[in-house]
């Protein structure tokens, strides 16, 4: 699907390898940007997460960074055609190499994570989904540098990478505030959404679980409730 319509904005994604998907929908709907004056969306792709953050917190200033030129142009058009475009700045640059001028209250990302998987033939998709240009450790290290003290980073990753992310984050100076275990269907825990805080103070970690579809393959009531502000109509 080259165009995906949300309630308050439309995502044109024909130039982007990564299309609108459940991972980003869940991450954007679960992330909590309230009180954040500055937000950085890393690897914005088609711009979906940046727009979701702008909808949830219209007073925030959002920077969206994307390494792929065509995808960045697509995101820029999506921003311009939305009600939130004036709140979002787009950078067509490499997150790891870019020298940011300030620090952020929050970082959000659906980063590349299939480090050991077989690379698909479509290399644009490979760049989006594999650690071809940014590893998980690189992402966390740069995120730590870009965050203000007590700032948070929200990201989604496969469950088999979670322990690695938490361990590396703790070494850098993050503490885990929230872990949401995502199941595609009951009993099928395949993803985690993590929120880490840049702080040296102890934090009580909250663990939740969330199921996207029921045994019949239909969206659960909790998924419908979570995404109701974004989906155009009830699912």
């Amino acid at each position: 699907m080259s165009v995906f319509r949300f309630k308050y904005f439309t995502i044109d994604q024909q130039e982007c390898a990564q299309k609108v998907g459940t991972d980003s929908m869940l991450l954007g709907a679960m992330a909590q940007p309230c009180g954040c004056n500055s937000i950085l969306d890393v690897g914005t792709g088609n711009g979906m997460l940046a727009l979701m953050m702008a909808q949830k917190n219209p007073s925030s200033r959002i920077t969206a960074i994307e390494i792929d030129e065509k995808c960045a142009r697509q995101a820029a058009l999506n921003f311009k055609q939305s009600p939130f475009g004036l709140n979002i700045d787009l950078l067509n640059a490499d997150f790891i190499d870019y020298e940011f001028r300030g620090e952020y209250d929050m970082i959000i990302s659906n980063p590349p994570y299939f480090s050991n998987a077989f690379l698909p033939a479509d290399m644009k998709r490979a760049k989006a989904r594999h650690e071809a240009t940014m590893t998980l450790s690189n992402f966390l290290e740069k995120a730590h540098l870009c965050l203000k003290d007590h700032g948070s980073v929200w990201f989604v990753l496969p469950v088999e990478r979670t322990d690695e992310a938490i361990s590396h984050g703790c070494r850098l100076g993050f503490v885990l505030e929230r872990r949401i275990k995502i199941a595609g269907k009951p009993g099928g825990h395949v993803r985690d959404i993590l929120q880490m805080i840049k702080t040296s103070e102890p934090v009580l970690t909250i663990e939740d679980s969330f199921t996207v579809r029921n045994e019949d393959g239909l969206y659960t009531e909790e998924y419908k409730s979570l995404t109701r502000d974004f989906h155009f109509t009830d699912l």
Side-chain angles (χ1 to χ4, degrees):
M1 183 183 296
S2 62
V3 176
F4 193 100
R5 301 188 188 282
F6 289 78
K7 271 189 175 179
Y8 300 106
F9 57 86
T10 297
I11 294 293
D12 191 335
Q13 51 190 350
Q14 60 186 353
E15 296 292 343
C16 299
Q18 279 297 97
K19 308 303 182 185
V20 171
T22 304
D23 285 355
S24 288
M25 179 66 77
L26 290 171
L27 177 61
M30 290 178 175
Q32 300 171 5
C34 293
C36 296
N37 295 319
S38 56
I39 299 172
L40 176 62
D41 175 19
V42 176
T44 195
N46 54 41
M48 172 183 170
L49 285 174
L51 286 165
M52 292 179 78
M53 294 305 97
Q55 178 181 326
K56 293 180 85 167
N57 185 2
S59 64
S60 64
R61 191 74 205 172
I62 299 170
T63 301
I65 188 167
E66 171 57 47
I67 192 172
D68 184 84
E69 184 177 354
K70 286 185 178 181
C71 207
R73 287 201 300 267
Q74 188 88 84
L77 183 61
N78 290 334
F79 298 154
K80 183 179 180 180
Q81 294 177 340
S82 80
F84 313 110
L86 294 178
N87 292 3
I88 305 174
D89 299 310
L90 179 67
L91 299 173
N92 180 202
D94 186 337
F95 170 63
I96 300 301
D97 294 335
Y98 191 80
E99 294 186 12
F100 293 91
R101 296 180 180 178
E103 294 176 315
Y104 293 88
D105 296 306
M106 175 179 167
I107 292 174
I108 188 167
S109 183
N110 182 0
Y113 41 63
F114 293 120
S115 62
N116 296 316
F118 180 76
L119 287 172
D122 184 338
M123 290 309 294
K124 284 183 66 178
R125 185 172 174 83
K127 184 183 289 186
R129 292 189 64 81
H130 295 260
E131 293 178 293
T133 58
M134 180 176 68
T135 66
L136 180 58
S137 59
N138 289 157
F139 165 70
L140 289 171
E141 288 159 12
K142 188 61 179 281
H144 191 269
L145 290 173
C146 292
L147 281 171
K148 298 176 182 178
D149 287 340
H150 302 288
S152 64
V153 55
W154 288 80
F155 60 107
V156 58
L157 76 173
V159 62
E160 61 266 20
R161 303 296 301 275
T162 297
D163 288 345
E164 173 192 351
I166 294 172
S167 296
H168 193 63
C170 289
R171 289 194 294 271
L172 292 170
F174 282 115
V175 295
L176 180 66
E177 181 166 54
R178 189 180 301 270
R179 177 184 182 182
I180 306 166
K181 299 178 180 180
I182 307 298
K185 288 187 176 182
H189 177 201
V190 292
R191 295 277 191 272
D192 281 319
I193 289 176
L194 304 183
Q195 180 196 13
M196 293 183 174
I197 307 295
K198 181 180 176 178
T199 182
S200 58
E201 301 170 5
V203 171
L204 178 64
T205 301
I206 300 170
E207 281 205 2
D208 291 317
S209 59
F210 188 94
T211 303
V212 177
R213 295 178 184 270
N214 60 29
E215 293 288 4
D216 296 327
L218 302 175
Y219 285 114
T220 61
E221 290 303 316
E222 62 178 342
Y223 181 83
K224 293 178 184 179
S225 176
L226 177 72
T227 61
R228 189 163 286 132
D229 289 340
F230 299 100
H231 276 302
F232 202 83
T233 57
D234 287 338
L235 300 172

